Amino acid sequence: MLVDFLQLTVAGLSQGSVYALLAVGLIATYTVRHVINIAQGDFAMLAGLGAVSMVAGGVPLLLAVLFAIIGVTLASVIMERLIISRVKNLTTLVSIILTLGVSTLIQACMLLAWGAEGRRLPTFPGSDINVAGISIRSQELWMLGALLVVGGGILLFYEKTKFGKALRAVAEQPVAARIVGISPVVASIVAFAIAGFAGGVSGVVAAPLYLATWSAGLLLGLKGFVAAVLGGLVSFRAAIIGALVLGVLEQYVAGYIDGGFKDAVAFLVLILVLIIRPQGLVLRQSAVRV
């Protein structure tokens, strides 16, 4: 029983790391533009499917992964330039409607390009680990490592660098930000680039274990959104912790109750958080000096 429990925990942490990367991207755009990007999960699937096609065309795996991430990062910036920046009175509700439309467009393009059948990337280089009867797949280590490097890097960027703090200041005091020389346009572009990069990384590291399909992005993005809500849509740390907890809870439900209830866990958590603690797991509101 203990081995099964630990095995489910490891699987949940690796799966939660994917949600965490998506949540980091969602918070990056929300803290700068108050945009909730419903298409975040679709960008992840786009990266996974793009990498699959490049590998099938003879491109080395790690190079294909790099190209896919860069392509999705550019796609996120293009969305910001062509759609988000064109709306003068951009409210959170309007952003949801706009990005939902982008999500539908991306899904349609993926369906036309790759069909309805799911595709899987080859496993990244590495060896599985067995500890006391617990099997840790090498790809799960890549997923956790991606969160540590990419998620941790974005967290440090926003919390420790002047430019990162300036990005968050744009959303709080846009007029004051302009006065001190912070460009809202540059801040928005950088935020969407960060979101696209995080989404692309989550998609390619998950593709070897979970099928990349045209229709999976919306649900994946919603789970990332739940994790972001756990962080109050402002705290990267709380969102990452919430995402890992969410992934573990899903695996426990799938392992001990029924796999059919797995996807319901995220939305049950969302309902409970909105009722009990709408500010998420954030204990206090912190001020950011720029």
Side-chain angles (χ1 to χ4, degrees):
M1 288 293 291
L2 179 60
V3 172
D4 293 339
F5 176 80
L6 294 175
Q7 187 72 64
L8 289 172
T9 301
V10 170
L13 289 173
S14 63
Q15 188 168 347
S17 65
V18 175
Y19 303 156
L21 287 170
L22 293 171
V24 165
L26 286 164
I27 293 176
T29 55
Y30 185 80
T31 52
V32 172
R33 289 295 306 271
H34 291 305
V35 169
I36 295 178
N37 185 9
I38 300 299
Q40 184 75 358
D42 296 293
F43 282 129
M45 290 297 102
L46 184 61
L49 289 170
V52 168
S53 291
M54 282 186 277
V55 170
V59 179
L61 174 61
L62 296 183
L63 197 58
V65 164
L66 178 61
F67 287 157
I69 293 172
I70 292 173
V72 167
T73 302
L74 292 175
S76 181
V77 172
I78 290 171
M79 179 185 74
E80 190 279 336
R81 288 289 82 201
L82 294 182
I83 300 175
I84 302 299
S85 65
R86 305 279 178 171
V87 182
K88 293 184 178 180
N89 298 317
L90 184 65
T91 64
T92 301
L93 178 59
V94 171
S95 75
I96 291 174
I97 296 171
L98 285 175
T99 56
L100 181 60
V102 173
S103 170
T104 304
L105 176 62
I106 294 174
Q107 287 183 25
C109 291
M110 289 191 292
L111 180 59
L112 289 172
W114 288 283
E117 185 178 353
R119 298 166 189 259
R120 180 177 279 116
L121 263 180
T123 304
F124 289 14
S127 302
D128 297 347
I129 299 175
N130 289 285
V131 180
I134 303 168
S135 177
I136 305 175
R137 292 174 288 185
S138 62
Q139 193 61 38
E140 291 177 328
L141 295 175
W142 276 96
M143 294 161 74
L144 291 168
L147 174 61
L148 181 64
V149 175
V150 177
I154 293 173
L155 174 65
L156 292 176
F157 169 74
Y158 272 93
E159 291 189 353
K160 301 300 182 182
T161 67
K162 284 187 177 181
F163 189 65
K165 294 176 183 178
L167 290 182
R168 306 186 77 166
V170 170
E172 298 300 324
Q173 296 291 338
V175 176
R178 288 191 184 94
I179 292 174
V180 298
I182 302 171
S183 171
V185 174
V186 173
S188 182
I189 291 173
V190 172
F192 275 85
I194 290 172
F197 181 79
V201 171
S202 69
V204 294
V205 297
L209 290 185
Y210 307 101
L211 288 175
T213 64
W214 70 276
S215 60
L218 182 58
L219 179 59
L220 188 63
L222 288 174
K223 291 182 180 181
F225 172 71
V226 172
V229 170
L230 290 173
L233 288 172
V234 294
S235 172
F236 291 102
R237 295 177 185 272
I240 290 172
I241 293 172
L244 294 174
V245 171
L246 177 60
V248 171
L249 287 176
E250 284 190 347
Q251 289 298 318
Y252 289 164
V253 169
Y256 292 119
I257 301 176
D258 190 287
F261 294 109
K262 177 182 174 182
D263 291 332
V265 173
F267 301 103
L268 177 60
V269 170
L270 178 62
I271 292 170
L272 292 176
V273 168
L274 292 177
I275 293 175
I276 299 172
R277 193 175 177 83
Q279 70 270 38
L281 300 178
V282 182
L283 297 179
R284 62 184 176 86
Q285 201 170 17
S286 58
V288 178
R289 290 181 60 86
V290 180

